[in-house]
Amino acid sequence: MRTKKVLITGGAGFVGCNAARYFGSRNWHVTVLDNLSRQGTDENLHWLRDGTTFDFELADVRDKEAMDRSISAQRYDAVIHLAAQVAVTTSVTDPRTDFMVNALGTFNVLDAVRRFSPHAVVVFASTNKVYGKIGGAPTELKGTRHAYVDRPFGISESEPLDFLSPYGCSKGAADQYALDFARIYGIPATSFRQSCIYGTRQFGVEDQGWVAWFAIASLLGRDITIFGDGKQVRDVLHVDDLLRAYEAAILAPDRIAGQAFNVCGGPAQVISLLDLIGMLEQKLGRKIPLKWQDWRPGDQRAYVSDIRKLETALGWKPEIAVDQGIAQLLDWVDVNRSLFAPADEPAARVA
C-alpha cells in the first residue's frame, strides 16, 4: 500500500508542528513548509526532529513559484493549510502584509493544488472572525459570565458573514476561495472556522493565543491585562482534538468538500477570562495580579461555536476537558520556561 502524503503549510507553528507529529505517528509521509518567521518556529522544528521523520521546505506561501514547486513535487493526499498572519492587531497596523499572507498566500496554495494535485484534500484553517461582531446574537450577563440570550448551541455556519478588521477580510476571502475552488474545480477542500485553539508548543502573546499567554505570563511574572470585565466567554479546544478533526475530514472528503465547519469546543467547553485565571491560580497555589483596561473596539462579550454540523458530518466532538488541557499546557510551559524567560527574569513555580 502506498504511503499517504501530507503537506502542512505553517508546519513549524503551534498547530502545524503538532499536526506533523500527529500524522507522522500514523505513518503518513509528512512535508513541513514554513518560512520560520514567527517566534518559536525554530524551537518547534528542533522538537519535531526529535522523534518525527519529515521533509522540510523553507518557503513562503506568498511566493507563487515556491508553492508551485512544492505542490508539483509530490502526489499529496492532503494539504493542511495553516500558514497565516494570525493577529487582528497586526492586521490593523499592517493590512498589506496581512492580505498578502492570508488572502494571496491561500490563493497560491489553492491554485497550485488545482493545477498539480487536484485530488488532495485541502483543510484550510479559517476563523470565527468571518462572522464579525454577530450583532444579531444579543448577550446578557448571567452571574459571572456573559452569555447569548437565544443561542443555546452557539453561532452556527448559517450566520451571515460580516468581515470585521483587515484580518477578518483576508481570512474571510481565503475561506470563500477554499469553498469555491471545491465547487468550481472539484478540489475536496473545506474551511474549518476555528476558535481559541490551545495546547503545548503554543508561544502565545497578548494579542493572539490568549490561553497560552495567560499560562506563560502567570508563570513568568509578566503583566496580565484584562480588557473589559473578564466575564467575556469563549469556547476553547485542545489542539489534539483539532487534529482528530483534521484526520476525520481528510479520511472522508465526500462529507466535507465545499463546506465550512465551525471547529471549537462548543457549549461544553466554555470558559471566561476570569475562569482561566482561577484555574491557573489553583494550579500555582497563589493569586495572580491583574491589570485592567476598558473594552477594546470590536471585543465580543461572548463567542461560542455551534459545532453540531461537524459532529453530524464526521462523528467528531471534543474529548479533552478544559481543566485537563490547561493543566497539561501549564506543565509544558513550566518545563520549557527557558524558551520564554531570560535567565534573570523571576518566575513562579507550579505547585
Side-chain angles (χ1 to χ4, degrees):
M1 181 181 295
R2 186 180 69 88
T3 300
K4 292 185 177 181
K5 299 180 179 181
V6 58
L7 171 68
I8 305 172
T9 71
F14 155 51
V15 175
C17 72
N18 279 287
R21 176 150 290 187
Y22 182 92
F23 283 92
S25 70
R26 284 154 176 77
N27 298 317
W28 283 66
H29 181 279
V30 175
T31 298
V32 167
L33 185 148
D34 205 295
N35 67 0
L36 301 182
S37 63
R38 292 196 63 196
Q39 177 190 359
T41 50
D42 286 327
E43 290 82 0
N44 286 341
L45 204 59
H46 178 75
W47 170 76
L48 264 183
R49 287 184 173 126
D50 182 17
T52 302
T53 300
F54 65 99
D55 295 332
F56 175 67
E57 295 188 26
L58 181 63
D60 193 307
V61 294
R62 291 172 288 186
D63 184 339
K64 174 187 178 297
E65 286 71 25
M67 293 306 98
D68 286 354
R69 285 195 302 271
S70 177
I71 293 173
S72 64
Q74 301 194 51
R75 181 175 178 268
Y76 287 109
D77 298 278
V79 175
I80 302 174
H81 179 40
L82 305 173
Q85 189 298 112
V86 295
V88 173
T89 51
T90 301
S91 80
V92 173
T93 58
D94 188 2
R96 179 174 293 277
T97 297
D98 176 81
F99 170 83
M100 295 293 286
V101 175
N102 292 348
L104 181 61
T106 300
F107 177 85
N108 286 339
V109 170
L110 289 169
D111 197 44
V113 170
R114 174 183 71 85
R115 287 178 288 124
F116 303 116
S117 194
H119 300 295
V121 180
V122 178
V123 178
F124 169 59
S126 186
T127 171
N128 69 71
K129 295 297 189 291
V130 300
Y131 301 124
K133 292 189 71 173
I134 317 177
T139 62
E140 61 184 355
L141 185 60
K142 294 183 178 179
T144 61
R145 291 178 174 181
H146 293 279
Y148 291 124
V149 173
D150 56 2
R151 303 288 184 96
F153 297 103
I155 302 302
S156 77
E157 295 85 353
S158 64
E159 187 71 24
L161 302 184
D162 185 19
F163 307 153
L164 179 67
S165 79
Y167 174 77
C169 290
S170 65
K171 292 292 280 191
D175 177 297
Q176 294 300 286
Y177 261 107
L179 301 183
D180 198 57
F181 266 53
R183 295 163 186 160
I184 299 299
Y185 300 114
I187 295 170
T190 182
S191 289
F192 271 18
R193 293 172 182 168
Q194 301 170 188
S195 173
C196 295
I197 311 301
Y198 74 97
T200 58
R201 312 304 311 176
Q202 186 174 25
F203 293 81
V205 294
E206 186 174 60
D207 62 353
Q208 197 276 325
W210 67 276
V211 175
W213 166 244
F214 278 18
I216 294 165
S218 65
L219 271 168
L220 302 184
R222 296 174 180 169
D223 290 341
I224 295 179
T225 300
I226 302 293
F227 296 90
D229 59 12
K231 299 176 182 179
Q232 56 265 52
V233 300
R234 301 291 185 267
D235 58 323
V236 299
L237 183 69
H238 192 278
V239 66
D240 289 352
D241 280 334
L242 175 66
L243 300 179
R244 289 192 304 103
Y246 286 170
E247 182 181 35
I250 290 168
L251 296 179
D254 292 344
R255 300 180 193 172
I256 54 87
Q259 298 188 66
F261 296 91
N262 291 338
V263 189
C264 201
Q269 303 264 29
V270 169
I271 61 171
S272 72
L273 274 62
L274 292 180
D275 288 338
L276 177 56
I277 293 296
M279 292 180 187
L280 294 171
E281 288 178 337
Q282 184 176 20
K283 182 70 173 174
L284 292 171
R286 63 172 176 81
K287 293 291 291 182
I288 297 173
L290 301 173
K291 294 188 174 183
W292 297 84
Q293 290 192 26
D294 198 4
W295 295 92
R296 294 171 296 188
D299 279 346
Q300 297 167 310
R301 267 58 170 180
Y303 179 81
V304 179
S305 301
D306 183 341
I307 58 174
R308 291 177 296 169
K309 181 179 178 182
L310 191 62
E311 291 179 356
T312 298
L314 299 177
W316 171 92
K317 63 180 179 180
E319 293 181 353
I320 299 174
V322 177
D323 57 350
Q324 175 189 352
I326 296 301
Q328 181 197 67
L329 171 61
L330 195 61
D331 287 342
W332 173 76
V333 175
D334 188 40
V335 170
N336 294 279
R337 61 179 55 235
S338 62
L339 299 178
F340 306 96
D344 59 350
E345 185 173 44
R349 301 300 304 182
V350 172

